[in-house]
Amino acid sequence: MSATIKEINIKGVNIPVIFEEQKNLPILNLQLVFKNSGYVQDKNLIGLSNLSSRILNEGTKELGVTDFSEILDENAITINSSNGYETFVIEVSSLKEKSKIAVKLLEDLLKSPNITQNSLDKIKTLQIGNLKRKENDFDYIAQKELNALLFKGTPLENSSSGTVESISKIELNDIKNFINNHLILNNLIIVAGGDFSISELETLIEPVLNSLNLGEASQSSKVEFISKKEEQTLKRDTEQAYIYFGSSFNVDSKDEENYKAKVASFILGGSGFGSRLMEEIRVKRGLAYSAYGNISINKSYSYFSGYLQTKNESADEAKELVKSLIEEFVDNGVTQYELDAAKNFLLGSEPLRTETLAQRLNRAFMLFLRDLNQNHPKLELEKIQSLKLEDLNEYIKSHKEINNLTFSIVRR
């Protein structure tokens, strides 16, 4: 079984539908994904998309959150809104026999969300409380400060959760305008699966789609940044040092050689025990309980990042070790043993990545979002299988930009 790409025409707009029919699961799994509508659109109101998604979890204006939630619970229906950097997502799941009720509730929610002053005051209070609690979450602080340094001058420098100050400034009209401007047909991608044919799905969700305005498609651009060799240390009363680091990784999501980045990332820091960072930092030197690094390739940005925790007195040694390990990795590449181990894992674990309907739909959506062919994973695995050591090491050596490491450290 695999997902396919269809289209539904609503009000003259051809809306992409990533769809998989699965007769042995009597369920509905439906996602309305609004592209270019995540916190990339927050502008000066940091946290706006996050609050907008939270207010859609407050039920309809007519029923309120309590009665709306009771109806959901009575029918074993889930409706949840969330946001990422690029996307704003409303997800609905139910048994097939309850699908009409689920979709009607979704339609009611989109037509009349509970955008009231009381609802906004409630979620702002909860969000501000959450942000204040995170002031003692040193992993969160180190990551947030790394993003502020690494992505300075871009939307990625900000946290999707906002700040106490920015959340306090967001008003009711800001929420209304965000939802009206971004939750529109011209931004919409539908991701759906379950015991439905595509025609049955179209009939089921057509009233929901007709409740949305056409709108003007939201735009976003590729995030351009160049990392620098710099660091920032925040002193806090903590028992250990939290070391987060990152750098540029200059690739595009459609580059033909990205499969090499996948293998390199796995060997350097993405495989847990057995990875270069874990072996050298934890196993050989005992400087940290864990150490990770990963190359992340997205449609609008790509970068390398990692983290570890160590004793306060070992912080400088661990930081310098990270620098030297990555320099050595770029200069000398990997061994045949490491490449063979990476191939064995990546090829052998492939079936586990598409076991469930949700996994297959998510993969198909991510491929679509990045303008990649749906058979891309299969072709990528074939390339990994035939990858030669000298070609991988030449690729690694060509990405010297990851040596320009930015560090964010929280320590005593």
Side-chain angles (χ1 to χ4, degrees), residues 249 260-261 263-269 276-277 295 304 322-335 338 392-393 396-397 399 402-403:
F249 193 77
K260 295 178 183 177
V263 176
S265 178
F266 181 87
I267 295 171
L268 176 59
R276 188 76 66 87
L277 290 177
I295 295 169
F304 167 72
V322 168
K323 291 180 183 178
S324 65
L325 288 173
I326 292 174
E327 285 178 4
E328 195 275 337
F329 185 79
V330 173
D331 289 342
N332 301 320
V334 308
T335 65
E338 288 174 317
L392 176 59
N393 286 337
I396 292 171
K397 189 170 288 188
H399 284 282
I402 71 170
N403 282 321

Side-chain angles (χ1 to χ4, degrees), residues 227-362:
S227 60
K228 302 175 183 177
K229 291 183 178 181
E230 60 179 330
E231 65 180 76
Q232 175 177 285
T233 299
L234 296 178
K235 295 297 183 73
R236 295 288 188 272
D237 186 18
T238 172
E239 295 300 315
Q240 61 181 348
Y242 299 78
I243 301 176
Y244 279 64
F245 50 91
S247 69
S248 308
F249 193 77
N250 300 332
V251 297
D252 184 82
S253 63
K254 296 179 71 175
D255 284 352
E256 292 290 329
E257 293 194 316
N258 282 347
Y259 70 98
K260 295 178 183 177
K262 188 173 186 176
V263 176
S265 178
F266 181 87
I267 295 171
L268 176 59
S271 58
F273 283 102
S275 74
R276 188 76 66 87
L277 290 177
M278 184 74 91
E279 284 292 310
E280 296 292 336
I281 294 172
R282 173 182 170 159
V283 177
K284 291 184 179 180
R285 294 173 177 82
L287 288 174
Y289 180 74
S290 61
Y292 293 96
N294 181 62
I295 295 169
S296 179
I297 300 176
N298 302 283
K299 183 174 182 179
S300 55
Y301 63 98
S302 299
Y303 68 111
F304 167 72
S305 65
Y307 64 90
L308 61 92
Q309 293 86 37
T310 188
K311 295 177 182 177
N312 280 298
E313 54 268 29
S314 305
D316 290 338
E317 181 184 358
K319 179 191 68 180
E320 292 305 317
L321 181 57
V322 168
K323 291 180 183 178
S324 65
L325 288 173
I326 292 174
E327 285 178 4
E328 195 275 337
F329 185 79
V330 173
D331 289 342
N332 301 320
V334 308
T335 65
Q336 187 65 53
Y337 175 82
E338 288 174 317
L339 175 56
D340 290 343
K343 284 184 178 184
N344 287 337
F345 182 87
L346 293 171
L347 296 171
S349 62
E350 174 61 19
L352 301 178
R353 299 189 188 100
T354 55
E355 280 188 311
T356 68
L357 174 66
Q359 286 176 316
R360 292 191 296 275
L361 287 174
N362 182 65

Side-chain angles (χ1 to χ4, degrees), residues 90-144:
I90 305 174
E91 183 168 7
V92 180
S93 61
S94 74
L95 294 172
K96 183 177 182 179
E97 64 187 73
K98 300 291 186 179
S99 59
K100 289 183 179 179
I101 298 173
V103 171
K104 182 62 171 68
L105 288 168
L106 174 61
E107 181 186 357
D108 293 343
L109 178 64
L110 289 171
K111 284 182 175 179
S112 184
N114 193 13
I115 306 178
T116 62
Q117 193 62 51
N118 285 341
S119 292
L120 180 58
D121 291 343
K122 171 189 166 183
I123 61 173
K124 285 173 69 173
T125 299
L126 291 172
Q127 185 74 330
I128 288 171
N130 184 48
L131 288 168
K132 288 183 175 179
R133 285 191 295 275
K134 286 184 175 180
E135 291 174 0
N136 293 316
D137 182 342
F138 300 124
D139 277 305
Y140 171 81
I141 291 172
Q143 179 69 75
K144 182 170 73 72

